[in-house]
Amino acid sequence: MSSLTQVEAEQRAALIAVERYDISIDFTDLPTGSTVVCVSTVTFTCRQPGMSTFADCVAPVISATLNGEPLDAPVDGRIALPQLAECNTLRVESVQADTTDGPGVHKSVDPSDGEVYVWTTFAPDEARHLFACFDQPDFKVPHAFTVTAPAAWLVTSNTGDPTIEDRGGVRRWTFPDTPALATYNTVVNAGPLHEVRREAGGYDLGLFCRQSLAPMLDRDADELFTVTEQGLAFFGDVFGLPFPQRKYDQVFMPDFGGAMENWGCVTWEDSYLQRSTPTPAERETFAVVLLHEMSHMWFGNLVTMRWWDDLWLNEAFAEFACYWAAVRATRYTDAWVGLLAADKLIAYLADQGPVSHPIRQPVPDVAEAASIFDAITYPKGAAVLHQLMTYVGEENFVAGMKIYFARYAWGSTILQDLIDALAETSGRDLNAWRAGWLETAGVDRLVLADGVLRGTGPAGPPRPQVLGIGAYAKGSSGLTRTALELVEVRGPETPVALPAGADLYLVNDDDLTFATTRPSAAHRETLINDAGLLPTPVSRGVAVATVWDMLTNGEATPAEAVRCVTSVLAVETSDTVIEPYLRLAGDAAELWAGNDSRPELMALVFETCARLAEQPSRRQVALRGMARTAADLDAVARLRQAADGDNDLAWRCLTRASELGGETDADVRELLERDPDPDVTFRALAVRAARPDAGEKAAVWQMLAVDRSVGVGSMGAVARAFWRPGQDEILAPYGEKYLSLLPGFERGGMIPAMVFSGRLLPRFGTTEDFPSRAEKVAAEAAPVVRQTVLEYGDELRRMLRARA
């Protein structure tokens, strides 16, 4: 189907003005069938009567009329609209039967009880897969949804308090008009949902999930309501505009993939409802994602980018704002360190590889837009905006945000609108900042030597920025910061007034900017071996990030990376970063180390986990790390005894035992019977996937990649179990199988395309030339597939070099 171009969108916006959508959706076939019937009525005006345009509709059309006159069938997903009048009514009846793999609308059957759930998601241009519309972000109008569904179902949408009518075994839900929204901000979810509600902070807050996950939602409800109330209050204050709707719902749905910021009704992948007691890092992630989607109520919904070249106005701001809010308004005061320990490292790697692009870049069509929901737009964007707030000062930043929302509420904007508001309140000329940070790809490199900070940018001098440099002295209590200098970088060399003779100078102390750094030759060993002696979570995080970047660039060995991270784990005071650091240490040992050094490094990680397990607050995540790195079946057996009813740990142990060649069938059957997780069959599939058995690999691959019978929320765990070190001979054929399927991975929309092309790319059993071969095949695929393969292929290429 044709992808809407920016030129076409601008031409259509110049010709017509959409007034409203009235959308009727019928879900009554879904309990036993797969069909959704939709009637879309679009009211719009034309500035030049007699001219022509087109509407978007990929769903098969039953009938279409314009001002009562029948229209030709759509061609390539477009309905031609000839001879427009000044005032127009388009009515289209469509039927979408592809609700298993198709974009836009998805039916999911709970494997534990057979209940059916359906959700919609429309970003970036997937509304057209369900109903006829003008699917571009600058058309912001009211939407009125009417939904017919089985009588036992609940239906959620953007606005609260629907009128509900019983109609002989079915119910009709009529929702009030939405405010002026883009099509991609709207939603309908339905099914026999479990609901929890609470009044908090002047809002009516709702939580929904499938019936089989009700105990998990009830367990987490207090935390979710607390963070929701805190977030709504914080954003309403700093943006100068409270969320203007009383009802705010959050719906957890199976097979969703991530979360989506629909106005007043956020949809989540229900794997966020952890099946075991959440760890500190999982709780922080829960809060951060909640705040990310909430901040979109302002950045993206209330004020919307005019075109996808300003996607960062949505995603980068939401990613920045969620960490800002977490630190300022919730108990997750180390959230910035959590970003540094996880997603920011991914962004540093991406920005030094083939997928690097400016945060803001030309986006010729929507297909290209789908390819930039990535680490550059999200975590790099968040870090850059954190730097911007540092650069202009938080007080000026807040004042600029308030001006921005007061001027543009319910409208569409471009980059310059925001820059102007911040320049107005800060008194700074931000044009150089904008050009360097938003319109230039790549990462800066900063090194301190002989009292001078030397910087290079992607194409010359470093960007304008403010950062901290700390001087540290080693003593009996570790490394103590003796001085901190805030430095404003304006060129390639910046004198730094710090005392000479420090045992370590930490560049980007307090993590205020987005730049890679390197220690001097004299301080390299201190940074790697003594990172755990640094006094704060953020200083230790900066050290880990530096060493990890050295690893990915071939300047540090996997052994050095493991030593650095384990030294930090031995002393870390922030519970929320223990798990991401254990993941990094495990990755360095398992994925980056070669066959000769892997056992020794895995043993070091195991020993670190064993010491952490002695601390009650770290025991859960430490035992998970031990299950990943256990060297033999005896160690796994001891861990299983320690599981003590922890089903998640029991599955991890069985997966490791299977990988080590142990017999697991009877234990899997027993655990399947007692684990209440509705998706427990996928945990059992991961046990099969890990087994060094060619027949099992073939069966799992068929389910994962060919039948696509594993939900996107479970794909990661099964795929990780599939690609195991030491199984290269068995895994060798799957590189070719991956390449043969690669062009079809776009099926199902943006999120499945990213998941399939990324998770299934080989980690083991491949050759040095495989990344280049995959990139060659992906060059002919959809942009989102192409970019995902470039990103993961570049990481694999670096891993292969490190292993060698």
Side-chain angles (χ1 to χ4, degrees), residues 10 53 161 215 729:
E10 290 171 349
T53 188
D161 303 319
E729 185 175 346

Side-chain angles (χ1 to χ4, degrees), residues 248-265:
Y248 188 88
D249 289 338
Q250 299 177 80
V251 188
F252 294 85
M253 297 296 264
D255 303 331
F256 186 75
M260 178 61 198
E261 68 267 19
N262 318 298
W263 173 264
C265 187

